[in-house]
Amino acid sequence: MEIKQVEAQIEAILFTMGEAVEIERIAGAVDHDEETTRKIIHNMMDRYQSEERGIHIIELDGAVQLCTKPSLYESIIKITHIPKKHVLTDVLLETLSIIAYKQPITKLQIEAIRGVKSDHAVNKLVEYNLICEMGRMDAPGRPILFGTTEEFLRCFGLQSLDSLPVMNPEKIEDFKIEAEEEAQLKLDI
Amino acid sequence: MEIKQVEAQIEAILFTMGEAVEIERIAGAVDHDEETTRKIIHNMMDRYQSEERGIHIIELDGAVQLCTKPSLYESIIKITHIPKKHVLTDVLLETLSIIAYKQPITKLQIEAIRGVKSDHAVNKLVEYNLICEMGRMDAPGRPILFGTTEEFLRCFGLQSLDSLPVMNPEKIEDFKIEAEEEAQLKLDI
Amino acid sequence: MSIPVKLEAFEGPLDLLLHLIDKNKINIYDIPIVVITEQYLEYIKQMEAKNLEIMSEFLVMAATLINIKSKMLLPVEVTEEEEEVDPRQELVERLLEYKMYKYISEELKDKQLDASKVMFKPPTIPPEIAGYKEDINVEGLLSDLTLAKLHEIFKSIVKKQADKIDPIRSKFGKIEKEEINLSAKLIQIQEYGILHKIFYFRSLLEAQNTKMEIIVTFLGILELIKIGRIKIEQENRTDDIKITYLATDIIQMEEVGF
């Protein structure tokens, strides 16, 4: 019983540390002498090995480390290759539209428009290859300027960014009127 | 035997990934359907729990993660320095509990309950990755809606939002009746 | 009444109110509003008004308490259909809700303490696997998104921003900082006074070039009235103001501790 508990302590320590830990140090943490600790660890190693477990303990020069069994390498490759579910959330769409129409734009400027921190959204859009760095702004701290990618244009069937004009204040007014007219048109139909 | 091997795969995957992995993804990696995988994992969880092990599996909103058992904390801190987590002040905790129970919720709604401006608290909670944007409310000004994150579940040892401390309507009703009885008592005297 | 607790210790008006209810050992449903209001106001008096925003929140609560107090003093009009509503009802409900969250946050605090004893392990994905870059199907990602929709989203953001702009204040021009010195202006007015003895407010203002100068001149007049160097008369409310210069010399404002 006592031994079982020491084993649990050792497992937790090795798990947390991740790297190789000297048996001497482990002995200090579990309040046993080095020899006893080593015996307990060797015992654990045997059991990890014989039982159908995903992890085992390896010994390296008086230190021990927890790691996965080599035979399970394939499953690990598989999981990293399984695509995560990607969705364009409202937050991402909002950020994308601001970048599309206001590019080149810094993260700070995006945040000023949205009123909230936008690190996560910007990072995700970069990961999705919808936006990328366009250079640096000539301002204190030389902040990164973001713009849309070729991939973005291709996905929307746009020839160039000219088909997606940058909006200036007068344009916005025009847009408003346009939008109203469009709405009217729709109603007429 | 077959199952044992799948369990070994899952243990190896969780150990390698470190972070929370969606059961759906694990299912893809071990070539089983999601339901079977979930059952296998739940089985493993029980066994980790009952056996004298140093680590166990926790569930976070449909994802699972490997971690040490809390009872072994003392042994672990003997061997390694553990970085301090964010200390949540009463203000932050109060704001966080409102968000946890009322999500999705806007800043204005939080402020209505607390009776004070809550910009600072909300920003800090976003910074600590305990809450995040959940979209916009369909109301004038389209205010941002906030909700809790996976990190929130992890930090508070919750499996899902369903395991939040209960404040169900009946309990609130009890609360009221108690209070009314107390008031009555006073009048009787 | 002694104030044992610094007001800054309270998170907000509801927190202070709960403290008072607790301190007086009274039931939330049975708030003696008069006593509590007095104590509440006493607290506010002690408050150092460093942060106007916080202060105003406490004041709003004070106003609510006084409002309830006054309602309770008035005879209750009971109409046939509606039942008599206790004016404290809404406050009690708010307090109860707030109290509930305070209670829950304590529970969460304990949970956090337990959960903080759990250790995680950083990912140890072999570099050759970690280097694998997943192909993201961008087209699939954008399948539901049209250019029109993207445009729509942007327009709603622009509109939201437009909503946020204060239509009145945003039209205020930039305030030009002009170096108009009140002491110098005071000397000017006094010189004008010695010269004219009796003069009119409007004609004095007409001699000023900018809005700022007019304001400073007005302040100067007020100051001169205060120290008794001029006398003003006005027949009717909209009439011009007649100013009589009483002194025969010019006083440097520094001399009177200005």
Side-chain angles (χ1 to χ4, degrees):
Chain A
M1 195 59 216
E2 223 286 74
I3 291 281
K4 279 273 169 217
Q5 211 157 16
V6 177
E7 288 185 356
Q9 283 175 355
I10 294 171
E11 187 178 51
I13 287 168
L14 291 179
F15 176 83
T16 309
M17 301 294 279
E19 59 202 23
V21 189
E22 292 81 34
I23 293 177
E24 195 189 336
R25 275 180 78 199
I26 298 173
V30 298
D31 275 333
H32 278 280
D33 63 75
E34 204 181 324
E35 220 14 67
T36 315
T37 311
R38 188 187 312 277
K39 267 185 202 146
I40 295 173
I41 292 173
H42 282 164
N43 225 328
M44 287 170 77
M45 285 169 81
D46 289 345
R47 228 178 24 258
Y48 272 114
Q49 212 54 55
S50 61
E51 281 173 21
E52 199 99 32
R53 292 286 304 264
I55 49 179
H56 64 166
I57 299 173
I58 51 169
E59 191 168 358
L60 309 146
D61 225 4
V64 282
Q65 181 171 7
L66 208 54
C67 62
T68 54
K69 288 188 182 171
S71 59
L72 297 165
Y73 196 67
E74 288 304 316
S75 319
I76 294 164
I77 292 179
K78 250 192 185 164
I79 190 112
T80 50
H81 286 210
I82 287 174
K84 285 184 202 151
K85 255 200 274 172
H86 295 287
V87 258
L88 280 184
T89 59
D90 286 354
V91 178
L92 293 185
L93 277 174
E94 199 175 293
T95 312
L96 182 61
S97 76
I98 292 169
I99 296 168
Y101 283 93
K102 292 268 191 182
Q103 62 187 304
I105 185 171
T106 68
K107 194 145 56 182
L108 220 65
Q109 290 170 327
I110 297 168
E111 287 169 358
I113 294 173
R114 299 194 56 230
V116 269
K117 279 258 175 212
S118 303
D119 300 76
H120 178 77
V122 168
N123 291 345
K124 270 273 171 257
L125 291 171
V126 170
E127 186 192 327
Y128 294 166
N129 192 27
L130 289 169
I131 62 163
C132 63
E133 288 184 43
M134 310 276 282
R136 300 266 181 174
M137 193 188 226
D138 197 11
R142 303 202 18 87
I144 298 168
L145 288 162
F146 292 94
T148 51
T149 57
E150 270 178 41
E151 181 75 6
F152 171 84
L153 291 179
R154 209 175 50 73
C155 285
F156 284 109
L158 295 172
Q159 292 287 322
S160 72
L161 274 178
D162 294 338
S163 0
L164 211 150
V166 178
M167 287 206 192
N168 52 36
E170 297 111 62
K171 272 251 171 74
I172 293 167
E173 212 32 66
D174 289 350
F175 272 125
K176 273 188 189 164
I177 295 164
E178 251 174 58
E180 274 158 25
E181 279 170 4
E182 272 170 38
Q184 199 54 48
L185 215 65
K186 262 185 208 153
L187 286 178
D188 288 345
I189 296 162
Chain B
M1 195 57 216
E2 223 287 71
I3 291 280
K4 280 274 168 216
Q5 210 155 16
V6 175
E7 287 185 357
Q9 282 176 356
I10 294 171
E11 189 177 52
I13 287 170
L14 291 179
F15 180 84
T16 308
M17 300 296 276
E19 57 200 24
V21 190
E22 293 82 34
I23 292 179
E24 198 187 335
R25 277 181 80 198
I26 298 174
V30 298
D31 277 332
H32 278 281
D33 62 78
E34 203 181 323
E35 222 12 68
T36 315
T37 313
R38 187 185 314 273
K39 268 188 202 143
I40 296 173
I41 292 173
H42 281 167
N43 227 327
M44 289 170 74
M45 286 169 82
D46 289 345
R47 230 178 24 258
Y48 273 113
Q49 211 53 54
S50 60
E51 282 171 17
E52 201 100 29
R53 292 286 304 265
I55 50 177
H56 65 165
I57 300 175
I58 56 165
E59 194 169 355
L60 300 159
D61 224 3
V64 283
Q65 186 168 12
L66 214 51
C67 65
T68 61
K69 290 188 180 171
S71 57
L72 298 166
Y73 181 73
E74 295 304 323
S75 323
I76 297 168
I77 52 168
K78 266 190 202 161
I79 202 158
T80 178
H81 171 77
I82 288 151
K84 268 243 171 197
K85 292 202 178 135
H86 305 295
V87 180
L88 294 183
T89 61
D90 287 349
V91 180
L92 293 186
L93 272 169
E94 188 182 298
T95 312
L96 187 58
S97 40
I98 293 171
I99 296 169
Y101 281 85
K102 289 269 189 178
Q103 62 186 303
I105 185 172
T106 68
K107 196 146 51 181
L108 221 66
Q109 291 170 326
I110 298 167
E111 287 168 358
I113 294 174
R114 295 192 58 225
V116 267
K117 278 263 174 210
S118 304
D119 299 77
H120 177 76
V122 168
N123 288 344
K124 270 270 169 268
L125 291 172
V126 169
E127 191 188 316
Y128 293 166
N129 190 26
L130 292 169
I131 62 165
C132 65
E133 290 180 50
M134 310 274 282
R136 300 266 184 175
M137 193 190 226
D138 198 9
R142 304 205 12 87
I144 296 168
L145 290 162
F146 293 94
T148 52
T149 58
E150 183 189 283
E151 179 67 13
F152 164 78
L153 295 178
R154 201 176 358 252
C155 276
F156 290 89
L158 302 168
Q159 270 199 19
S160 70
L161 286 177
D162 296 334
S163 35
L164 276 170
V166 213
M167 249 311 185
N168 52 29
E170 295 115 64
K171 192 156 188 193
I172 296 167
E173 209 38 59
D174 284 356
F175 221 34
K176 279 190 181 169
I177 292 167
E178 250 175 55
E180 267 161 15
E181 276 172 359
E182 277 171 36
Q184 198 56 47
L185 219 63
K186 249 185 212 155
L187 288 178
D188 287 345
I189 296 163
Chain C
M1 194 179 83
S2 66
I3 306 293
V5 191
K6 270 262 175 212
L7 200 73
E8 284 74 19
F10 295 102
E11 280 166 33
L14 286 166
D15 206 22
L16 171 56
L17 204 52
L18 275 181
H19 167 77
L20 292 177
I21 288 167
D22 197 43
K23 200 186 70 161
N24 289 290
K25 307 245 179 305
I26 44 175
N27 190 285
I28 231 173
Y29 283 98
D30 198 28
I31 307 170
I33 213 86
V34 178
V35 178
I36 292 290
T37 306
E38 273 162 13
Q39 293 181 1
Y40 190 92
L41 289 174
E42 190 63 33
Y43 265 97
I44 289 196
K45 243 189 262 167
Q46 306 290 320
M47 192 170 187
E48 289 169 44
K50 274 182 202 146
N51 187 335
L52 266 183
E53 199 171 276
I54 292 175
M55 185 71 178
S56 65
E57 282 156 353
F58 281 92
L59 286 174
V60 168
M61 178 55 75
T64 309
L65 287 172
I66 292 167
N67 184 25
I68 294 172
K69 181 172 155 182
S70 60
K71 271 189 193 158
M72 291 180 77
L73 291 174
L74 291 172
V76 190
E77 264 184 64
V78 187
T79 55
E80 278 177 33
E81 270 156 50
E82 47 186 296
E83 269 185 61
E84 183 186 333
V85 179
D86 191 326
R88 291 171 297 185
Q89 187 59 33
E90 199 194 320
L91 184 67
V92 167
E93 275 165 19
R94 278 192 70 189
L95 269 173
L96 213 61
E97 185 175 27
Y98 181 73
K99 199 180 161 140
M100 194 176 97
Y101 286 114
K102 279 210 86 136
Y103 165 79
I104 283 167
S105 69
E106 283 303 313
E107 297 251 303
L108 280 181
K109 203 186 216 169
D110 291 344
K111 281 199 167 283
Q112 191 196 18
L113 198 67
D114 291 341
S116 70
K117 293 187 173 161
V118 171
M119 299 298 137
F120 297 93
K121 170 190 157 298
T124 40
I125 303 166
E128 68 274 21
I129 300 178
Y132 169 79
K133 267 250 169 80
E134 170 193 341
D135 271 334
I136 295 164
N137 179 0
V138 179
E139 257 168 273
L141 199 62
L142 297 178
S143 59
D144 290 338
L145 186 64
T146 61
L147 212 50
K149 192 175 163 196
L150 194 70
H151 191 179
E152 214 42 58
I153 293 167
F154 182 67
K155 272 195 296 192
S156 77
I157 295 166
V158 171
K159 185 171 177 304
K160 191 175 157 265
Q161 265 204 311
D163 288 349
K164 260 197 278 183
I165 297 168
D166 186 327
I168 297 168
R169 264 176 262 187
S170 65
K171 292 210 176 75
F172 285 178
K174 225 184 174 171
I175 296 168
E176 301 288 339
K177 194 179 176 204
E178 281 175 78
E179 294 302 324
I180 298 171
N181 188 312
L182 183 55
S183 327
K185 188 54 86 183
L186 279 163
I187 290 167
Q188 266 181 41
I189 300 170
Q190 291 182 78
E191 281 169 353
Y192 192 85
I194 287 173
L195 204 66
H196 295 91
K197 231 34 190 174
I198 291 171
F199 54 100
Y200 286 88
F201 187 58
R202 275 180 203 157
S203 55
L204 181 68
L205 291 190
E206 275 159 17
Q208 312 304 325
N209 294 319
T210 65
K211 203 190 276 178
M212 190 44 86
E213 263 191 295
I214 293 173
I215 293 167
V216 176
T217 305
F218 180 64
L219 289 176
I221 294 289
L222 292 179
E223 196 56 37
L224 290 171
I225 296 171
K226 201 176 98 191
I227 59 171
R229 295 189 75 85
I230 56 171
K231 176 181 90 177
I232 59 161
E233 290 157 273
Q234 189 184 33
E235 288 281 324
N236 294 301
R237 209 152 50 94
T238 51
D239 285 358
D240 204 347
I241 301 165
K242 184 178 159 194
I243 302 170
T244 311
Y245 193 70
L246 300 172
T248 50
D249 60 339
I250 293 172
I251 187 170
Q252 293 288 329
M253 293 318 284
E254 287 76 15
E255 290 171 32
V256 288
F258 190 73

